[in-house]
Amino acid sequence: MDDTRLAPEHELIGRLRRNVVKDVAPHPGVWSPDFLATLVQTAVVHLRDQLLRADAGTPVLVDSYYYKLLAKCRLAGAGESPLLDWWRTFPRPSRVVYLDVPPETTWQRSREGADLNVLEHYGPQPDRAGFRRYQSDLAKVMRDEIQDLPVTVIEELDHPELTAAAIREVVSHEFC
């Protein structure tokens, strides 16, 4: 869903994501949590469709799959939405590699909140406390969603190269 990774024919997904963040998420009294989940579903179904098109037996790596979007919808109040139940019926990964990066690190990476959107913190404006609380809740909800899957947790490492090496190790043991 990263705009730089979307093929030109999938640019709609990026536009929808930006519009959800800009026009829907900041106005919870105007739009219902179910409406938010309905719009987010477009990206979730896109991910599912991409997986279903993959060659059988070929490993596919997907950043967050639908779990982070599901968790964000739950935190926004759509926890009882039938859409979320439907998402849980989508193909399940054979392995989850969970990168456990502390909120303090991600706060710094976001330029102390300057690069955040409203689905990444509590409160009307990003601040350290609202970000930390939201990220902690997000991690709990995501872990709840993946609790029945084989999960390998990779703790924060000092350099991206070390993190990439740790991921390669897990993937090579899982699929080679």
Side-chain angles (χ1 to χ4, degrees), residues 64 72 87 173:
S64 299
K72 287 183 178 199
W87 299 356
H173 284 323

Side-chain angles (χ1 to χ4, degrees), residues 14-85:
R15 286 194 312 272
L16 281 171
R17 181 186 54 77
R18 284 189 302 279
N19 288 338
V20 165
V21 167
K22 183 180 79 169
D23 298 331
V24 177
H27 309 288
V30 175
W31 307 104
S32 72
D34 289 332
F35 184 78
L36 173 75
T38 299
L39 293 176
V40 170
Q41 174 166 310
T42 307
V44 173
V45 172
H46 171 72
L47 289 171
R48 185 215 53 192
D49 289 352
Q50 295 302 303
L51 282 176
L52 294 176
R53 284 188 190 104
D55 291 331
T58 300
V60 178
L61 295 175
V62 180
D63 181 18
S64 299
Y65 191 20
Y66 68 82
Y67 295 109
K68 187 179 278 188
L69 296 171
L70 189 150
K72 287 183 178 199
C73 286
R74 283 181 56 188
L75 291 177
E80 301 301 317
S81 173
L83 290 177
L84 305 188
D85 292 335

Side-chain angles (χ1 to χ4, degrees), residues 148-166:
D148 296 329
L149 295 168
V151 177
T152 301
V153 176
I154 297 177
E155 303 291 336
E156 179 181 28
L157 298 170
D158 292 335
H159 301 287
E161 299 82 18
L162 295 174
T163 302

Side-chain angles (χ1 to χ4, degrees), residues 82-133:
L83 290 177
L84 305 188
D85 292 335
W86 184 48
W87 299 356
R88 292 181 185 106
T89 69
F90 291 177
R92 296 172 58 83
S94 59
R95 166 75 45 202
V96 172
V97 179
Y98 188 94
L99 302 179
D100 195 8
V101 181
E104 199 55 44
T105 299
T106 52
W107 176 254
Q108 291 169 358
R109 289 179 186 167
S110 75
R111 295 184 315 129
E112 298 186 349
D115 294 338
L116 296 178
N117 69 58
V118 296
L119 292 175
E120 296 175 319
H121 62 86
Y122 289 128
Q125 297 298 320
D127 65 30
R128 186 173 289 198
F131 177 76
R132 178 181 291 259
R133 250 182 30 258

Side-chain angles (χ1 to χ4, degrees), residues 1-8 10-15 46:
M1 302 229 288
D2 196 353
D3 289 344
T4 61
R5 305 275 184 224
L6 285 173
H10 298 138
E11 288 177 357
L12 171 64
I13 302 298
R15 286 194 312 272
H46 171 72

